[in-house]
Amino acid sequence: MSKKKTYFITGGAGFIGSNYIHYLFEKYDVVKVINLDKLTYAGNPANLDDLKNNPDYIFVKGDICDAEVVGKIFQKYNPDFLVNFAAESHVDRSIGNPEDFIRTDMYGVYVLLEASKKFGIKRFIQISTDEVYGSIDKGSFTEESPLMPSNPYSASKSGGDRLAYSYFATYGLPVIITRASNNYGPYQYPEKLISLFVTNALEDKQLPLYGDGKNIRDWLYVKDHCEGIEFVLQNGKIGEVYNIAGGSEKENIEITGLILELLGKPESLIRYVDDRIGHDRRYSLDSTKLHKLGWQQEHPFEKAMQETVQWYVEHQDWWKPLKSGEYLEFYKKQYPEEMPLT
Ligand code: NAD
Ligand code: TYD
């Protein structure tokens, strides 16, 4: 009997990684997944509770910077594919404390690449981000655009992105890099714009809108992102970068208004607060390269947003416990004495 296709997923207890693991088990009848996750504040094994009795899903609590644990996973499971989602992922946290970002988003990538080189891998997918390009006032970034990251998160992700490429260029490792735009959907830790604002609004708490609220992000439904990653893994050319755009550019104030409308909450919940330091004005991606390869997005923005908001309405038992403890400490530091978050 031939070996089951085996995916080594890192950071699979986080937002996109857990959606991707669900996606794999839905898409393939026969597949094995090893999920290595450090379980930082953003990692939540409850995201994958439905798989806990599945013998083809193996969870390993550990750090991608730990070469020993990474090596053991290679030796024991001989994975076909490695998809690296593990990262510190929140820009605001990177401004206050860049060290963990540099460690995980750069050094961690090095450890995974070294192990892949030593033990062999059919595809190494580095999940990068549109933020590596920096801000753009007009037009959209293609894969050829220069990288101009402007905060410690995007800079460390750029380091991981280019390091992964260097293992292709130098050692011939079968690396592919994806750069996606801002994701939204189920299981997003309630600290990013959409997950934070939906959950705050549900609790009748204020929505802290940075600056003039007119910064623009391009929104990608997480399920489209997962399909895009798998499409690239199966069809992409090694050594290449693929942008995965949402094709839905919106000002933050538009997103905020839509959330309030969908929840039937008043605009008085909006609170304009000081701008984020070094706040990128606009992100915009050109996905022509991926479309030419044959990928198409399947979920229209309005419907996917409705479903996302509904998911948070129906899963208060998932997000309410997350908005306490370490989360509150972080937000108290961000908004000392200003925001009634408890
Ligand atoms: P997330 O913060 O929700 O999840 C990150 C996961 O990585 C968590 O489960 C965490 O415990 C784990 N992790 C962190 N450090 C680790 C380490 N040293 N070893 C092992 N596990 C570790 O992030 P996300 O939003 O799901 O993002 C996943 C990936 O996608 C990241 O690489 C991010 O840069 C990229 N990305 C995110 C977006 C977005 O909008 N969220 C857009 C484009 C790209
Ligand atoms: P975020 O979800 O943190 O993603 P990123 O910074 O990686 O794009 O932020 C999306 C946009 O929303 C960004 O322009 C910052 C803004 N924002 C707010 O206005 N208030 C908030 O509380 C947060 C978290 C974000």
Side-chain angles (χ1 to χ4, degrees), residues 90 131 182 191-193 196 208 210 217 252 276 279:
H90 189 36
E131 305 201 20
N182 284 62
E191 66 179 354
K192 306 281 166 64
L193 180 75
L196 177 71
Y210 298 159
R217 297 293 182 265
N252 293 337
R276 175 186 279 172
H279 193 174

Side-chain angles (χ1 to χ4, degrees), residues 66-313:
D66 180 347
E68 201 181 321
V69 73
V70 171
K72 278 188 184 153
I73 290 174
F74 269 95
Q75 281 173 310
K76 185 159 181 196
Y77 298 105
N78 185 23
D80 298 287
F81 313 122
L82 190 155
V83 188
N84 179 30
F85 292 96
E88 289 294 336
S89 70
H90 189 36
V91 174
D92 292 324
R93 289 176 189 259
S94 84
I95 294 167
N97 178 20
E99 193 173 333
D100 286 346
F101 288 74
I102 291 153
R103 207 175 152 272
T104 293
D105 301 7
M106 293 175 74
Y107 184 77
V109 180
Y110 156 72
V111 170
L112 296 173
L113 289 163
E114 270 297 302
S116 301
K117 174 158 83 73
K118 181 171 172 192
F119 296 101
I121 197 85
K122 294 196 182 88
R123 285 289 177 277
F124 184 112
I125 310 293
Q126 171 63 14
I127 305 298
S128 189
T129 162
D130 62 353
E131 305 201 20
V132 299
Y133 297 115
S135 191
I136 187 166
D137 289 338
K138 287 200 177 80
S140 302
F141 291 119
T142 71
E143 291 81 356
E144 307 298 317
S145 302
L147 304 192
M148 203 59 81
S150 60
N151 59 61
Y153 164 65
S154 52
S156 57
K157 287 296 292 183
S158 305
D161 177 317
R162 290 299 81 197
L163 192 65
Y165 175 74
S166 80
Y167 270 63
F168 163 75
T170 310
Y171 307 112
L173 198 73
V175 169
I176 302 180
I177 295 143
T178 61
R179 296 180 184 147
S181 53
N182 284 62
N183 281 221
Y184 63 99
Y187 299 109
Q188 185 164 36
Y189 192 83
E191 66 179 354
K192 306 281 166 64
L193 180 75
I194 290 179
S195 51
L196 177 71
F197 281 18
V198 172
T199 55
N200 273 13
L202 280 168
E203 294 187 304
D204 295 311
K205 289 173 182 163
Q206 293 174 335
L207 314 185
L209 198 53
Y210 298 159
D212 63 3
K214 294 192 172 190
N215 296 63
I216 294 174
R217 297 293 182 265
D218 169 31
W219 292 97
L220 171 66
Y221 189 45
V222 68
K223 292 184 183 170
D224 281 325
H225 189 189
C226 292
E227 282 163 12
I229 294 165
E230 186 58 18
F231 184 83
V232 164
L233 186 150
Q234 298 295 342
N235 302 289
K237 199 170 152 214
I238 60 171
E240 296 285 319
V241 175
Y242 294 93
N243 288 343
I244 310 181
S248 296
E249 289 185 31
K250 311 275 177 213
E251 288 183 348
N252 293 337
I253 183 69
E254 283 179 75
I255 294 285
T256 309
L258 178 61
I259 290 169
L260 292 174
E261 190 189 312
L262 287 169
L263 290 173
K265 297 286 181 178
E267 288 195 359
S268 56
L269 285 183
I270 299 174
R271 173 168 182 155
Y272 285 92
V273 297
D274 286 349
D275 210 352
R276 175 186 279 172
I277 310 166
H279 193 174
D280 285 335
R281 192 67 177 167
R282 174 171 174 260
Y283 294 146
S284 181
L285 279 184
D286 181 329
S287 258
T288 307
K289 184 172 171 183
L290 191 53
H291 290 145
K292 278 193 179 152
L293 199 65
W295 177 76
Q296 286 302 335
Q297 210 179 318
E298 287 193 353
H299 300 89
F301 174 77
E302 281 72 19
K303 187 159 180 285
M305 265 301 281
Q306 275 171 16
E307 284 175 14
T308 299
V309 169
Q310 191 56 31
W311 189 88
Y312 288 92
V313 169

